[in-house]
Amino acid sequence: MQRKAYVPGVAALLAALLAGCTGGSSDGGGQDDPKPGGTTSTAAAAQPGKYRTLPEPCGAVSHSTLDSLLPGIEQLTDEEQRERAYEGTATVTYDTDRKVGCRWKAESATATDHLLVDFERVVSYDNTVSDDDRAEEIYLKKEVAADLPAPAASPSDSPETPDSSKSSESLESSGSGSTPDAGDSSSSADADPSTDPSTDPSTNPSGGAPGSTPSALQPRTLEDLGNTAFLDDALNDSKQRTVTVVFRTSNVVVTIQYDEQPATTTDVPSSQDMQDRARKLAGQLAESFSD
């Protein structure tokens, strides 16, 4: 899927945050230097983040949610294998208070599905930068790396309709107030979008090449998840689709990576279904942090 870089605004915000983190007073002293007999003025320390611990990642996703994301689990006939599949595998970490994750995998008759959930609790060791601001830096770097396409133009951004004066001239040349002749081969039905095959969703539901992501499901930022969030959706040449959802809630950055590899390259995983499942899981995790 060809993408158009969409980073100017995000990059500017990231640069501003980084500048705020690295800025400081010079060694030569300035207005903050104490005067004889006076008191030293100090800036108030930045606020710590809301979260001091992280949830246990392999227990953060319910069995019912795993059944939806990884249909192959329910197809396992061996009870012990099924339980191990539900348990997942913890990712390697050296500080469980700062970064933890879990992976799941399940094979079905039609596809192999993988799920990764990663939690990162951000702590700023700079008294002038809050934990939340440092977490926002990390989130923005992930968003920039995702290289989201520019958002689709809204109706208000579309080109204006032809000049009304030109329309008037056309009417005058044909006779003001004239109506099409009943025998005219062109009729209002010809201009009806519902009769145009190119606008019929059933002829090309994705609105693009077969297997492409529908325009409404293109990678994008999300407004209803955590403090800031985005969704990425990529389909590779072997028809493996990967849906990634990243969001920040206070000083924690959550990453969900969900991918499906069909058993045959003639099948294409549904962008709509995979995004719905990933976003549902993201919403559940966000709610667990707000409890």
Side-chain angles (χ1 to χ4, degrees):
M1 174 175 59
Q2 184 178 6
R3 296 188 174 182
K4 176 182 177 182
Y6 176 51
V7 297
V10 173
L13 178 57
L14 179 57
L17 285 171
L18 291 173
C21 296
T22 57
S25 60
S26 62
D27 295 336
Q31 295 181 353
D32 290 337
D33 290 340
K35 295 181 180 180
T39 59
T40 303
S41 60
T42 57
Q47 292 296 316
K50 178 179 179 180
Y51 303 106
R52 303 298 180 90
T53 60
L54 289 171
E56 199 287 305
C58 290
V61 185
S62 68
H63 284 195
S64 61
T65 300
L66 289 172
D67 288 340
S68 174
L69 292 159
L70 312 170
I73 292 182
E74 287 189 302
Q75 297 178 15
L76 293 173
T77 56
D78 186 281
E79 187 174 344
E80 290 185 4
Q81 287 185 340
R82 191 184 311 117
E83 285 304 313
R84 285 197 298 270
Y86 280 130
E87 289 174 1
T89 303
T91 58
V92 176
T93 182
Y94 300 99
D95 187 351
T96 55
D97 285 335
R98 294 288 302 277
K99 189 175 177 63
V100 293
C102 191
R103 297 180 183 275
W104 292 265
K105 174 184 176 181
E107 296 181 4
S108 67
T110 58
T112 299
D113 295 282
H114 297 83
L115 174 67
L116 166 67
V117 172
D118 180 88
F119 301 129
E120 181 174 2
R121 186 176 69 90
V122 182
V123 177
S124 173
Y125 295 102
D126 185 341
N127 288 335
T128 65
V129 181
S130 71
D131 292 348
D132 284 19
D133 286 345
R134 188 72 74 187
E136 183 68 3
E137 291 176 32
I138 293 174
Y139 163 83
L140 287 174
K141 287 179 180 178
K142 291 177 178 286
E143 184 178 318
V144 170
D147 192 21
L148 304 182
S154 62
S156 60
D157 297 330
S158 60
E160 295 182 359
T161 57
D163 191 350
S164 59
S165 61
K166 296 181 179 179
S167 300
S168 300
E169 292 174 1
S170 299
L171 287 173
E172 290 174 359
S173 62
S174 61
S176 178
S178 62
T179 57
D181 184 23
D184 193 345
S185 58
S186 62
S187 64
S188 59
D190 295 331
D192 186 354
S194 64
T195 64
D196 184 355
S198 65
T199 62
D200 185 358
S202 64
T203 61
N204 192 356
S206 66
S212 64
T213 304
S215 58
L217 299 174
Q218 289 289 328
R220 61 201 182 278
T221 56
L222 303 174
E223 303 295 334
D224 56 350
L225 184 64
N227 299 112
T228 49
F230 73 86
L231 180 148
D232 196 10
D233 187 329
L235 184 70
N236 67 17
D237 293 338
S238 64
K239 299 300 185 289
Q240 174 179 300
R241 186 178 294 281
T242 300
V243 174
T244 304
V245 178
V246 179
F247 70 90
R248 177 183 72 83
T249 175
S250 186
N251 62 317
V252 172
V253 178
V254 179
T255 300
I256 297 169
Q257 183 175 304
Y258 175 40
D259 66 69
E260 181 170 296
Q261 176 66 65
T264 64
T265 56
T266 56
D267 294 330
V268 179
S270 168
S271 184
Q272 176 78 64
D273 291 345
M274 291 187 66
Q275 288 193 25
D276 286 348
R277 294 167 189 162
R279 290 191 64 177
K280 182 177 180 180
L281 172 58
Q284 293 171 349
L285 295 178
E287 288 180 3
S288 69
F289 276 98
S290 61
D291 291 342

